[in-house]
Amino acid sequence: MNLDEKKVEAIFEAILFAMGDAVEVEKLAAAAGVSVDDAQKILYRMMEQYQNENRGIRLIELDHSFQLCTKNELYEYLIRVAKQPRKIVLTDVVLETLSIIAYKQPITKLEIEKIRGVKSDHAVNRLVEYNLVRELGRLDAPGRPLLFGTTEDFLRHFGIKSLDDLPMLNPVQMEDFKAEAEEEVDLKLKV
């Protein structure tokens, strides 16, 4: 590695440390005055260095953005000093709602409720509070309903780099789920 690449590494490290959150690779490249391809190569090399060296931090990629964070195996030491973060508890209802949003985004509350068959205000509000879901804007339709989608915290929490890494839904399982849901609706109508 030549001296210029070491300087670019230092620039990236300084920016990522100061920002705290994930920074898009294009912004990092522009700040350092290098191409996006060169920036990605350097960032991947940095990821490997952080992983191989006995360091307390690691570099992660989140949907074409990069972030410095504490290594998972050292987290217990961090919470000894820092206030213990609030643990997110995802009930079945909240997890079901999150799954719908993750796979169907951008999506409105009405569309979520059609899929679930029940009101979803509480679950969506809880997901927004946990910063796993955010408002993406409004649908250009009567009433201009809010559109919801997942956040970087969603990616971080579930350990995936992008939405492309979500597990593929098995068509056979989908048919089973659909049949179960229809059966459940039939039971409710008979009661």
Coordinates of all heavy atoms in Angstrom, one line a residue, residues 24-63:
E24 N -22.4 6.8 3.4 CA -22.4 6.2 2.1 C -21.0 6.2 1.5 O -20.3 7.2 1.6 CB -23.4 7.0 1.2 CG -24.8 6.9 1.6 CD -25.2 8.0 2.6 OE1 -24.4 8.8 2.9 OE2 -26.4 8.0 3.0
V25 N -20.7 5.2 0.7 CA -19.4 5.1 0.1 C -19.1 6.2 -0.8 O -18.0 6.7 -0.9 CB -19.2 3.7 -0.6 CG1 -20.1 3.5 -1.8 CG2 -17.8 3.4 -0.9
E26 N -20.1 6.7 -1.5 CA -20.0 7.8 -2.5 C -19.5 9.1 -1.7 O -18.6 9.8 -2.2 CB -21.3 8.1 -3.2 CG -21.7 7.0 -4.2 CD -22.5 5.9 -3.5 OE1 -22.8 6.0 -2.3 OE2 -22.7 4.9 -4.2
K27 N -20.0 9.3 -0.5 CA -19.6 10.5 0.3 C -18.2 10.3 0.8 O -17.4 11.3 0.8 CB -20.6 10.7 1.4 CG -21.9 11.2 1.0 CD -22.8 11.5 2.2 CE -24.2 12.0 1.8 NZ -25.1 12.2 3.0
L28 N -17.8 9.1 1.2 CA -16.5 8.9 1.6 C -15.5 9.1 0.5 O -14.4 9.8 0.7 CB -16.3 7.5 2.2 CG -17.1 7.2 3.5 CD1 -17.1 5.7 3.8 CD2 -16.4 8.0 4.7
A29 N -15.8 8.6 -0.7 CA -15.0 8.7 -1.9 C -14.8 10.2 -2.2 O -13.7 10.6 -2.5 CB -15.5 7.9 -3.0
A30 N -15.9 10.9 -2.2 CA -15.8 12.4 -2.6 C -15.0 13.1 -1.6 O -14.2 14.0 -2.0 CB -17.2 12.9 -2.7
A31 N -15.1 12.8 -0.3 CA -14.4 13.5 0.7 C -12.9 13.3 0.6 O -12.1 14.2 0.8 CB -14.8 13.1 2.1
A32 N -12.5 12.1 0.2 CA -11.1 11.7 0.1 C -10.5 12.0 -1.3 O -9.3 11.9 -1.5 CB -10.9 10.3 0.5
G33 N -11.4 12.3 -2.2 CA -10.9 12.6 -3.6 C -10.5 11.4 -4.4 O -9.5 11.4 -5.1
V34 N -11.2 10.2 -4.1 CA -10.9 9.0 -4.8 C -12.1 8.5 -5.5 O -13.2 8.9 -5.2 CB -10.3 7.9 -3.9 CG1 -9.0 8.4 -3.3 CG2 -11.3 7.5 -2.8
S35 N -12.0 7.5 -6.4 CA -13.1 6.9 -7.1 C -13.9 6.1 -6.1 O -13.3 5.6 -5.1 CB -12.7 6.1 -8.3 OG -12.1 4.9 -7.9
V36 N -15.1 5.8 -6.4 CA -16.0 4.9 -5.6 C -15.4 3.5 -5.5 O -15.3 2.9 -4.5 CB -17.4 4.9 -6.1 CG1 -18.3 3.9 -5.3 CG2 -18.1 6.3 -5.9
D37 N -14.9 3.0 -6.7 CA -14.3 1.7 -6.7 C -13.0 1.6 -5.8 O -12.9 0.7 -5.0 CB -13.9 1.3 -8.1 CG -15.0 0.9 -9.0 OD1 -16.1 0.7 -8.5 OD2 -14.9 0.9 -10.2
D38 N -12.2 2.7 -5.9 CA -11.0 2.7 -5.0 C -11.4 2.8 -3.6 O -10.8 2.1 -2.7 CB -10.1 3.8 -5.4 CG -9.3 3.6 -6.7 OD1 -9.2 2.4 -7.1 OD2 -8.8 4.6 -7.3
A39 N -12.4 3.6 -3.3 CA -12.9 3.7 -1.9 C -13.4 2.4 -1.4 O -13.0 2.0 -0.2 CB -14.0 4.8 -1.8
Q40 N -14.2 1.7 -2.2 CA -14.7 0.4 -1.7 C -13.5 -0.6 -1.5 O -13.5 -1.3 -0.5 CB -15.6 -0.2 -2.8 CG -17.0 0.3 -2.6 CD -18.0 -0.4 -3.5 OE1 -17.7 -0.6 -4.7 NE2 -19.2 -0.7 -2.9
K41 N -12.5 -0.7 -2.4 CA -11.4 -1.5 -2.2 C -10.7 -1.2 -0.9 O -10.3 -2.1 -0.1 CB -10.4 -1.4 -3.3 CG -10.9 -2.1 -4.6 CD -9.9 -1.8 -5.8 CE -10.6 -2.3 -7.1 NZ -9.8 -1.8 -8.2
I42 N -10.5 0.1 -0.6 CA -9.8 0.5 0.6 C -10.6 0.1 1.9 O -10.1 -0.4 2.9 CB -9.4 2.0 0.6 CG1 -8.3 2.2 -0.5 CG2 -9.0 2.5 1.9 CD1 -8.1 3.7 -0.9
L43 N -11.9 0.4 1.8 CA -12.8 0.1 2.9 C -12.8 -1.4 3.2 O -12.8 -1.8 4.4 CB -14.2 0.6 2.6 CG -14.3 2.1 2.7 CD1 -15.6 2.6 2.0 CD2 -14.3 2.6 4.2
Y44 N -12.9 -2.3 2.1 CA -12.9 -3.7 2.4 C -11.6 -4.2 3.0 O -11.5 -5.0 3.8 CB -13.2 -4.5 1.0 CG -14.6 -4.4 0.6 CD1 -14.9 -4.1 -0.7 CD2 -15.7 -4.5 1.5 CE1 -16.2 -4.0 -1.2 CE2 -17.0 -4.5 1.1 CZ -17.3 -4.2 -0.2 OH -18.6 -4.1 -0.7
R45 N -10.5 -3.5 2.6 CA -9.2 -3.9 3.1 C -9.2 -3.5 4.6 O -8.7 -4.2 5.5 CB -8.1 -3.2 2.4 CG -6.7 -3.6 2.8 CD -5.5 -3.2 1.9 NE -5.6 -1.8 1.5 CZ -5.8 -1.4 0.2 NH1 -6.0 -2.3 -0.7 NH2 -5.8 -0.1 -0.1
M46 N -9.7 -2.3 4.9 CA -9.8 -1.8 6.3 C -10.7 -2.8 7.1 O -10.3 -3.1 8.3 CB -10.4 -0.4 6.4 CG -9.5 0.7 5.9 SD -10.3 2.3 5.7 CE -10.6 2.6 7.5
M47 N -11.8 -3.3 6.6 CA -12.6 -4.3 7.3 C -11.8 -5.5 7.6 O -11.9 -6.0 8.8 CB -13.8 -4.7 6.4 CG -14.9 -3.6 6.2 SD -16.1 -4.1 5.0 CE -17.2 -5.2 6.0
E48 N -11.0 -6.0 6.7 CA -10.2 -7.1 6.9 C -9.2 -6.9 8.0 O -8.9 -7.7 8.9 CB -9.6 -7.6 5.6 CG -8.9 -8.9 5.7 CD -8.4 -9.4 4.3 OE1 -9.2 -9.2 3.3 OE2 -7.3 -9.8 4.3
Q49 N -8.5 -5.7 8.0 CA -7.5 -5.3 9.0 C -8.1 -5.3 10.4 O -7.6 -5.8 11.3 CB -6.9 -4.0 8.6 CG -5.9 -4.0 7.4 CD -5.5 -2.6 7.0 OE1 -6.1 -1.6 7.4 NE2 -4.6 -2.6 6.1
Y50 N -9.3 -4.6 10.5 CA -9.9 -4.5 11.8 C -10.3 -5.9 12.3 O -10.2 -6.2 13.5 CB -11.2 -3.7 11.7 CG -11.0 -2.2 11.7 CD1 -11.3 -1.4 10.7 CD2 -10.4 -1.6 12.9 CE1 -11.1 0.0 10.7 CE2 -10.2 -0.2 12.9 CZ -10.5 0.6 11.8 OH -10.3 1.9 11.8
Q51 N -10.7 -6.8 11.4 CA -11.1 -8.2 11.8 C -9.9 -9.0 12.2 O -9.9 -9.7 13.2 CB -11.8 -8.9 10.6 CG -12.4 -10.2 11.0 CD -13.5 -10.1 12.1 OE1 -14.2 -9.1 12.1 NE2 -13.5 -11.0 13.0
N52 N -8.8 -8.8 11.5 CA -7.6 -9.7 11.8 C -6.8 -9.2 13.0 O -6.1 -9.9 13.6 CB -6.7 -9.8 10.5 CG -7.4 -10.5 9.4 OD1 -8.2 -11.4 9.7 ND2 -7.0 -10.3 8.2
E53 N -6.8 -7.9 13.2 CA -6.0 -7.3 14.3 C -6.8 -7.4 15.6 O -8.0 -7.4 15.5 CB -5.6 -5.8 14.0 CG -4.7 -5.7 12.8 CD -4.5 -4.2 12.4 OE1 -4.9 -3.3 13.2 OE2 -4.0 -4.0 11.3
N54 N -6.1 -7.4 16.7 CA -6.8 -7.5 18.0 C -7.2 -6.1 18.3 O -6.6 -5.4 19.2 CB -5.8 -8.1 19.0 CG -6.6 -8.5 20.3 OD1 -7.8 -8.5 20.3 ND2 -5.8 -8.7 21.3
R55 N -8.3 -5.6 17.7 CA -8.8 -4.3 17.9 C -10.2 -4.3 18.6 O -10.9 -5.3 18.5 CB -9.0 -3.5 16.6 CG -7.8 -3.6 15.7 CD -6.8 -2.4 15.9 NE -7.2 -1.1 15.7 CZ -7.1 -0.4 14.7 NH1 -6.5 -0.9 13.6 NH2 -7.6 0.9 14.6
G56 N -10.6 -3.3 19.2 CA -11.9 -3.2 19.9 C -13.1 -2.8 18.9 O -14.2 -2.9 19.3
I57 N -12.7 -2.4 17.7 CA -13.8 -2.0 16.8 C -13.7 -2.8 15.5 O -12.7 -3.4 15.2 CB -13.7 -0.4 16.5 CG1 -12.3 -0.1 15.9 CG2 -14.0 0.4 17.7 CD1 -12.2 1.3 15.5
R58 N -14.8 -2.7 14.8 CA -14.8 -3.3 13.5 C -15.5 -2.4 12.5 O -16.2 -1.4 12.9 CB -15.5 -4.6 13.5 CG -17.0 -4.6 13.9 CD -17.6 -5.9 14.1 NE -19.0 -5.8 14.4 CZ -20.0 -6.4 13.8 NH1 -19.7 -7.2 12.8 NH2 -21.2 -6.2 14.2
L59 N -15.3 -2.6 11.2 CA -16.0 -1.8 10.2 C -17.0 -2.7 9.5 O -16.7 -3.8 9.1 CB -14.9 -1.3 9.2 CG -15.3 -0.5 8.0 CD1 -15.9 0.8 8.5 CD2 -14.1 -0.2 7.1
I60 N -18.2 -2.2 9.5 CA -19.3 -3.0 8.9 C -19.9 -2.2 7.7 O -19.8 -1.0 7.6 CB -20.4 -3.3 9.9 CG1 -21.1 -2.0 10.4 CG2 -19.9 -4.2 11.0 CD1 -22.3 -2.3 11.3
E61 N -20.5 -3.0 6.8 CA -21.2 -2.4 5.6 C -22.7 -2.6 5.8 O -23.1 -3.7 6.1 CB -20.7 -3.1 4.3 CG -21.3 -2.6 3.1 CD -20.8 -3.3 1.8 OE1 -20.2 -4.3 1.9 OE2 -21.2 -2.8 0.7
L62 N -23.4 -1.5 5.5 CA -24.8 -1.5 5.6 C -25.4 -0.8 4.4 O -25.4 0.4 4.3 CB -25.3 -0.7 6.8 CG -24.8 -1.2 8.2 CD1 -25.1 -0.2 9.3 CD2 -25.5 -2.5 8.5
D63 N -25.9 -1.6 3.4 CA -26.5 -1.1 2.2 C -25.7 0.0 1.5 O -26.2 1.2 1.4 CB -27.9 -0.5 2.6 CG -28.9 -0.5 1.4 OD1 -28.6 -1.1 0.4 OD2 -29.9 0.2 1.5

